[in-house]
Amino acid sequence: MVSISRRDLLRGLGAAFGALFAGRAGSTTASAQEASSPGTFRFVHLTDIHVQPELKAAEGMAACLRHVAQLDPAPDFILTGGDLVMDALEQDVQRTTLLFELFTQVLRDNTSLPVHHCLGNHDVFGWGKKHGVTAETPRYGKKMFCEVFGYEKTYYTFDHKGWRFFVLDSVQPSDKLLYEGGLDPEQWEWLEEQLQKKPANMPGVIVSHIPFVTVTVLPDAVQDYQFRIGAASLCKGAQKVSLLISQHNVRLALSGHIHMVDEVEYRGVKYVCDGAVSGRWWKGANKGFPEGYGVFDLSPDGTVKYQYVTYGWQAVQT
Ligand SMILES: [Fe+2]
């Protein structure tokens, strides 16, 4: 059980922001600990945590991290899949700061594993322009995420035991919606360049919050004799990215966002849409998919084994 009072959290808000989140919050710096020698290894993917003071979400997140700590074999690192908090997109600076502090505190208190973070739509501060937030508000937009976790950009690569991971930022501004799925032009260029730089025999993983390819959205999509899927549900440019990664020995394309689970083989790449740590936003299973996380076992020959693991959380409200 974690015990974090609202007062404890609010106390921190008066302190300098940089001091609150100095360094890479809540984790050991991943790159410092990673082995470069190839070998089979395990990592876990914790996506859509949506931590908040309500619904015992912090206790749920802590329970999940404790479950991860019991895994045998132990994972080498944690990869988060975005939507770390609930919610920065339409909240004021105080609430957003409190949420990120809660997230980093629970992480710090319940795991010693290295952690790599991926940005989700709910982690972008203030795009909803509510509660007086404007583009001039400090740490507006994606700056909040970068400052909290000490990243220069919202997309980056890292290597682990002979594999290269490409962590992408799939959350883009939209004329009609609060956000939409896809990559901005600069990131497309960066991804193409990075894939070219990767040695051809080195297997790769791409990680995005919003999926490129998934069947999870199809069963609810048929309307008026055609399938309709919102631009906030899937990434634009999926065909282009699927062709690109299939030519560069990428073996796994990992996402979250939908709070449902599937595994799709397309152009020789395994696409996994992973289930949510929060289930239905801490109100039980989402359409039958319980609270859980992904366990991945990767081999030097490029083989990927995936299992979705539940951690026994009982929602306080359904
Ligand atoms: Fe989510």
Side-chain angles (χ1 to χ4, degrees):
M1 299 281 281
V2 285
S3 75
I4 303 157
S5 74
R6 197 173 174 86
R7 196 175 49 187
D8 286 344
L9 289 167
L10 287 168
R11 201 182 298 141
L13 293 176
F17 189 87
L20 282 176
F21 298 124
R24 281 196 174 188
S27 67
T28 311
T29 301
S31 57
Q33 289 197 352
E34 286 174 359
S36 57
S37 56
T40 299
F41 69 94
R42 167 173 285 186
F43 76 89
V44 290
H45 179 241
L46 273 55
T47 189
D48 295 275
I49 297 171
H50 289 275
V51 81
Q52 54 191 291
E54 300 79 16
L55 299 172
K56 292 197 173 178
E59 288 178 33
M61 178 180 166
C64 182
L65 290 166
R66 287 197 303 271
H67 195 272
V68 167
Q70 300 301 315
L71 288 175
D72 184 18
D76 285 4
F77 61 86
I78 295 171
L79 190 57
T80 65
D83 284 2
L84 312 176
V85 300
M86 187 69 182
D87 155 86
L89 200 57
E90 298 190 276
Q91 295 299 327
D92 62 22
V93 68
Q94 275 209 327
R95 168 80 181 180
T96 301
T97 306
L98 182 149
L99 292 173
F100 276 108
E101 191 189 1
L102 178 58
F103 179 86
T104 53
Q105 186 177 336
V106 175
L107 200 58
R108 205 162 38 228
D109 291 349
N110 292 281
T111 186
S112 54
L113 288 170
V115 186
H116 302 277
H117 294 290
C118 175
L119 177 92
N121 47 289
H122 285 284
D123 308 320
V124 179
F125 169 49
W127 277 2
K129 304 268 180 69
K130 292 190 175 168
H131 311 288
V133 176
T134 70
E136 280 68 51
T137 303
R139 299 175 294 282
Y140 175 78
K142 297 174 182 178
K143 277 189 199 147
M144 177 72 80
F145 175 89
C146 287
E147 279 200 25
V148 168
F149 299 113
Y151 294 131
E152 272 179 41
K153 287 196 167 192
T154 48
Y155 51 90
Y156 58 92
T157 66
F158 68 92
D159 291 355
H160 191 81
K161 292 185 177 171
W163 286 68
R164 183 156 298 166
F165 289 73
F166 302 82
V167 180
L168 305 178
D169 171 1
S170 57
V171 184
Q172 305 305 328
S174 170
D175 291 338
K176 292 188 176 174
L177 305 167
L178 263 178
Y179 64 91
E180 59 185 49
L183 307 179
D184 58 276
E186 190 186 324
Q187 194 179 174
W188 271 115
E189 206 175 302
W190 172 87
L191 180 60
E192 285 172 334
E193 198 180 286
Q194 292 297 319
L195 286 167
Q196 287 287 350
K197 279 187 190 168
K198 180 180 73 58
N201 62 352
M202 184 183 208
V205 176
I206 67 162
V207 186
S208 63
H209 177 63
I210 302 176
F212 286 96
V213 175
T214 178
V215 299
T216 54
V217 291
L218 292 180
D220 289 324
V222 71
Q223 288 178 27
D224 304 330
Y225 305 100
Q226 57 184 317
F227 284 87
R228 289 170 190 269
I229 299 167
S233 296
L234 285 180
C235 284
K236 287 180 178 171
Q239 197 62 273
K240 184 176 161 186
V241 93
S242 73
L243 270 168
L244 182 66
I245 64 176
S246 71
Q247 292 159 1
H248 287 281
N249 198 20
V250 170
R251 300 305 185 97
L252 172 66
L254 183 51
S255 67
H257 189 51
I258 310 294
H259 297 223
M260 289 192 270
V261 181
D262 76 0
E263 208 177 327
V264 175
E265 207 71 37
Y266 184 54
R267 296 192 197 278
V269 178
K270 188 194 288 286
Y271 290 79
V272 171
C273 181
D274 210 5
V277 171
S278 67
R280 190 165 57 87
W281 297 266
W282 299 109
K283 292 182 178 177
N286 184 46
K287 298 181 181 176
F289 293 94
E291 302 87 346
Y293 63 94
V295 178
F296 292 83
D297 292 299
L298 272 53
S299 302
D301 66 359
T303 307
V304 175
K305 284 188 188 155
Y306 163 63
Q307 44 185 320
Y308 185 64
V309 175
T310 57
Y311 60 96
W313 184 248
Q314 296 292 319
V316 291
Q317 180 190 325
T318 55

